[in-house]
Amino acid sequence: MKLNEAKEKFIQTWGSLASSWGINRTMAMVHALLLVSETPLSTDEIMETLLISRGNANMNIRELMGWGIVRKELKMGERKEFFVADKDIWNVFKQIVKERRKRELEPVIASIEELKKVDNGNGEAGEFLALMDSLLHVTTKASVLLDLAVKSDENWLMSKLLKLIK
Amino acid sequence: MKLNEAKEKFIQTWGSLASSWGINRTMAMVHALLLVSETPLSTDEIMETLLISRGNANMNIRELMGWGIVRKELKMGERKEFFVADKDIWNVFKQIVKERRKRELEPVIASIEELKKVDNGNGEAGEFLALMDSLLHVTTKASVLLDLAVKSDENWLMSKLLKLIK
DNA sequence: TTAAACTTTCAAAAAAAATTGAAAATATTT
DNA sequence: AAATATTTTCAATTTTTTTTGAAAGTTTAA
């Protein structure tokens, strides 16, 4: 397999993984393209390579910057903006986990806390409350665990976790 | 807040969480409905409560059974099928993790392994190979970690993890 | 074996999400 | 300050996903 072919396949793989996790397919493809690119790319280069429109390219680049995994790079003598992906995959992983925890997990935890205030005068909400409690247990534990992953160094964390398995 | 109102809100919350994780909104709502229901529900009851068609209800119930988090329950003297959700949330969590790891993480790991076979005669694929290696590191470690979560008991795991934090 | 009760399938329709492309806005150079 | 280059926005369009509902299939009971 030639390098360019492998890069293309990687872009496809990354794109389809993302879409099954509720992330825009094109955004993941732009990310993959920047990951495999040895040099910073301009919006035009991204448009050409992925055959997407300017609007689409712009939107997704912006979103990737919002996730903190792509940054702008300016070239001297060039008016265009160029983009680079953070190549430290552990860092990318942490960044995504951090964002999704904030955007999705935390609101759900807050919402379940809210639902625990349900009227239970006659005890009819007992089962419901028990369900909310167990949901809260699992979600807050997941949240704590993700926090641990995000805050710690990869090697330290992994050596500790591997010890748990034995 | 009245119990029924709280149940409705929970169904909405669960539905929107799911859709941001690439899971069909209606499927999550059916799941939530079964979670908060004190008794097994028939397809008709699910249709009526969520205002969805028979085909949709059937499809999503079937899918939930495929995920192993909802099961059929037969009532004596009744010809209809009734459905119940597993109320053990830790179990539900493990089941979902197990399935998604199998369905999505493993194929990606296999695909990256494949891409490592790229032609590197003249050394031009060096950066690409380094990227694949680091991806493989993170994904296989995530996979191992999820395996640990799935195979171990909730309390044991959590007490160990909490120790790591200190 | 027939009929009624119930479940499944799937083509068509509807809804939701993503994409386009051109106009507007912004930034840079002359 | 005008011209040019570049980026951003967003209404309209396209694509993808979800949902419907009626027909076909299956199971149970009489």
Side-chain angles (χ1 to χ4, degrees):
Chain A
M1 188 168 27
K2 290 269 170 285
L3 179 58
N4 281 344
E5 193 193 336
K7 285 183 174 181
E8 254 175 61
K9 281 204 177 132
F10 173 67
I11 293 169
Q12 300 306 325
T13 300
W14 212 231
S16 61
L17 175 69
S19 68
S20 69
W21 285 85
I23 289 165
N24 184 300
R25 215 177 63 96
T26 304
M27 179 172 131
M29 288 168 75
V30 172
H31 183 223
L33 173 60
L34 291 172
L35 276 176
V36 297
S37 169
E38 271 129 65
T39 57
L41 299 180
S42 68
T43 301
D44 290 81
E45 289 167 312
I46 293 169
M47 286 165 62
E48 276 171 39
T49 315
L50 301 179
L51 301 172
I52 60 175
S53 73
R54 182 171 304 283
N56 196 7
N58 184 271
M59 239 202 84
N60 286 299
I61 292 167
R62 226 94 335 236
E63 184 117 28
L64 284 165
M65 293 200 294
W67 281 80
I69 56 182
V70 160
R71 66 176 191 287
K72 200 180 284 191
E73 190 136 298
L74 299 174
K75 274 195 198 170
M76 40 193 179
E78 282 272 20
R79 225 152 123 175
K80 278 196 186 105
E81 294 175 333
F82 290 78
F83 304 94
V84 199
D86 181 352
K87 303 280 167 77
D88 179 341
I89 298 300
W90 176 248
N91 215 44
V92 170
F93 171 78
K94 284 200 297 185
Q95 201 58 37
I96 293 173
V97 162
K98 197 198 263 176
E99 285 292 326
R100 296 202 81 156
R101 195 179 78 112
K102 188 172 73 198
R103 296 180 191 191
E104 290 138 22
L105 202 52
E106 282 178 8
V108 169
I109 291 176
S111 162
I112 296 174
E113 289 283 13
E114 223 20 67
L115 292 174
K116 281 181 66 179
K117 293 180 185 153
V118 68
D119 198 5
N120 192 28
N122 50 7
E124 59 166 2
E127 279 198 39
F128 180 80
L129 285 168
L131 177 67
M132 293 303 111
D133 273 333
S134 65
L135 277 169
L136 228 39
H137 260 107
V138 172
T139 49
T140 51
K141 278 171 180 172
S143 189
V144 163
L145 177 55
L146 292 176
D147 222 27
L148 173 67
V150 162
K151 286 183 178 151
S152 62
D153 159 68
E154 179 181 8
N155 294 321
W156 176 84
L157 179 65
M158 287 305 161
S159 72
K160 292 287 184 181
L161 289 174
L162 291 173
K163 264 185 209 160
L164 286 186
I165 292 168
K166 288 183 303 199
Chain B
M1 188 171 24
K2 290 269 171 282
L3 179 58
N4 281 344
E5 194 192 335
K7 284 183 174 180
E8 254 175 62
K9 281 203 178 134
F10 173 68
I11 292 168
Q12 300 306 324
T13 300
W14 212 231
S16 60
L17 174 69
S19 67
S20 69
W21 286 85
I23 290 165
N24 184 300
R25 215 178 62 96
T26 304
M27 179 171 130
M29 289 168 74
V30 172
H31 183 222
L33 172 60
L34 291 172
L35 276 176
V36 297
S37 170
E38 272 129 65
T39 57
L41 299 179
S42 67
T43 301
D44 291 81
E45 288 166 314
I46 293 169
M47 286 166 62
E48 277 170 37
T49 314
L50 301 179
L51 302 171
I52 59 175
S53 72
R54 182 171 304 283
N56 198 7
N58 183 269
M59 240 202 83
N60 285 299
I61 293 167
R62 227 102 321 245
E63 183 118 29
L64 284 165
M65 293 199 295
W67 281 80
I69 57 183
V70 160
R71 66 175 190 288
K72 202 179 283 189
E73 188 136 298
L74 299 174
K75 274 193 199 171
M76 39 191 177
E78 283 271 21
R79 221 150 124 178
K80 277 196 188 107
E81 294 176 335
F82 289 79
F83 303 95
V84 200
D86 182 352
K87 304 279 167 78
D88 178 342
I89 298 301
W90 175 248
N91 215 43
V92 171
F93 170 78
K94 285 199 297 184
Q95 201 57 37
I96 292 172
V97 163
K98 195 197 268 177
E99 285 292 327
R100 296 202 82 157
R101 195 179 77 112
K102 188 173 71 197
R103 296 180 192 193
E104 291 138 21
L105 202 51
E106 283 178 7
V108 169
I109 291 177
S111 162
I112 296 174
E113 290 281 13
E114 216 30 60
L115 292 174
K116 280 181 66 181
K117 292 181 186 154
V118 67
D119 198 5
N120 192 28
N122 50 7
E124 60 166 3
E127 279 199 38
F128 180 78
L129 285 169
L131 177 67
M132 293 303 112
D133 273 334
S134 66
L135 277 169
L136 228 39
H137 260 107
V138 172
T139 48
T140 50
K141 278 170 179 171
S143 189
V144 164
L145 176 55
L146 292 176
D147 221 27
L148 173 67
V150 162
K151 286 184 177 151
S152 62
D153 158 69
E154 178 181 7
N155 294 319
W156 177 84
L157 179 66
M158 286 304 161
S159 72
K160 293 286 185 181
L161 290 174
L162 291 173
K163 263 185 211 160
L164 287 185
I165 294 169
K166 288 183 303 198

